[in-house]
Amino acid sequence: MIKMDSKNLLYEGKAKSVFQGENPDEVIIDFRDDMTAGDGAIKENMGQKGYINSVICAKIFETLESEGVETQLIELCKPCVMKAKKLDMIPIEVIVRNIATGSIIRKFPFEDKAPFNPPLIQMDFKDDEFHDPMLNDAISIALGIASKEDLDTLRELALKVNEVMNKMFKDIGIILVDFKIEFGKDNDGNIILGDEISPDSCRLWDAETLDMLDKELFRQGKDDEVIDDDEVIDAYEEVFNRLLTEEDKEKWGI
Ligand code: CDP
């Protein structure tokens, strides 16, 4: 039996809670409906988000595994609840960009929507207090959060993840604009993809209309109040519906 109570709580993040699993090397991740923006300054409950994101994440992680990228996923026990390998997380947000938008065009003179070829890899220090500043290798090594070898592995894995996800999304009429991933180390020191991949952590555009199908809708809705919460969840559901096969739905009891 999986117990998700405060006694077993290991870590509570902005959108997920992590509990000790039955086995010491395992955790249970609860995908909650909380939606945050601005380093957690804005927080809201977004119905069905945990359900949708956990399933999208499991589908992406399974596909990555089948393409040789090791992930934290052991199994999606049921929507919202994922059994995963316990990892010692590296506090680096690895961002992969295929198209220039968002913070990169605010910070540097890249043309809006210009493609990056090869994809651009950026690493940010995961720390809300410091507002996730951009890293370079020297700073990461000096902070003691990763070795040169680790950083090379992160870049290599990030490019592979991008390659697999680009194809997955292209096949369902979605452009993978950019995304953020996080890695951790297992007991043997292997670097493994952890955290989540979902519309919370990716920019996804409909290939025909270029409509946004991701968390950017929530961020913009908070800024200009034109987009309401239903539209945000509808967009996440659209990704969910395009990505999942009937077989997936049967397997996860959806
Ligand atoms: O969203 P914003 O313009 O502030 O940041 P960005 O650096 O352009 O974000 C690049 C990608 O990483 C987007 O897909 C974001 O959703 C994702 N990201 C994330 O998931 N979590 C963060 N803390 C920062 C970025």
Side-chain angles (χ1 to χ4, degrees), residues 93 97 102-103 106 132 178 180 200-203 219:
E93 302 195 329
R97 299 177 188 275
S103 66
R106 291 194 296 271
D132 302 343
D178 57 28
K180 181 267 306 177
D200 269 7
S201 59
C202 303
R203 276 200 183 89
R219 296 195 193 97

Side-chain angles (χ1 to χ4, degrees), residues 108-231:
F108 299 97
F110 289 114
E111 200 186 316
D112 188 18
K113 297 195 176 64
F116 286 118
N117 206 354
L120 192 76
I121 301 182
Q122 173 191 336
M123 297 197 192
D124 289 356
F125 182 40
K126 187 180 164 80
D127 192 310
D128 280 345
E129 194 189 329
F130 287 88
H131 307 292
D132 302 343
M134 202 182 287
L135 290 168
N136 63 22
D137 282 16
I139 297 173
S140 303
I141 294 164
L143 281 170
I145 56 177
S147 66
K148 177 74 176 74
E149 201 187 15
D150 291 342
L151 295 165
D152 289 340
T153 304
L154 295 183
R155 281 186 278 265
E156 197 184 307
L157 288 171
L159 285 179
K160 178 72 186 168
V161 170
N162 186 44
E163 196 186 299
V164 175
M165 283 176 58
N166 254 322
K167 173 160 190 336
M168 266 184 102
F169 282 109
K170 188 165 181 246
D171 288 349
I172 55 169
I174 291 175
I175 300 170
L176 177 63
V177 176
D178 57 28
F179 62 92
K180 181 267 306 177
I181 44 181
E182 295 177 31
F183 294 87
K185 288 187 179 177
D186 67 9
N187 283 339
D188 301 322
N190 299 313
I191 295 186
I192 293 174
L193 178 65
D195 190 53
E196 72 175 288
I197 301 181
S198 72
D200 269 7
S201 59
C202 303
R203 276 200 183 89
L204 304 168
W205 293 347
D206 181 277
E208 268 181 26
T209 61
L210 299 187
D211 284 348
M212 291 184 285
L213 300 170
D214 59 72
K215 185 173 170 181
E216 194 63 30
L217 284 169
F218 176 75
R219 296 195 193 97
Q220 292 197 359
K222 294 301 120 190
D223 288 346
D224 57 23
E225 292 177 11
V226 173
I227 297 154
D228 66 26
D229 290 357
D230 286 348
E231 283 176 75

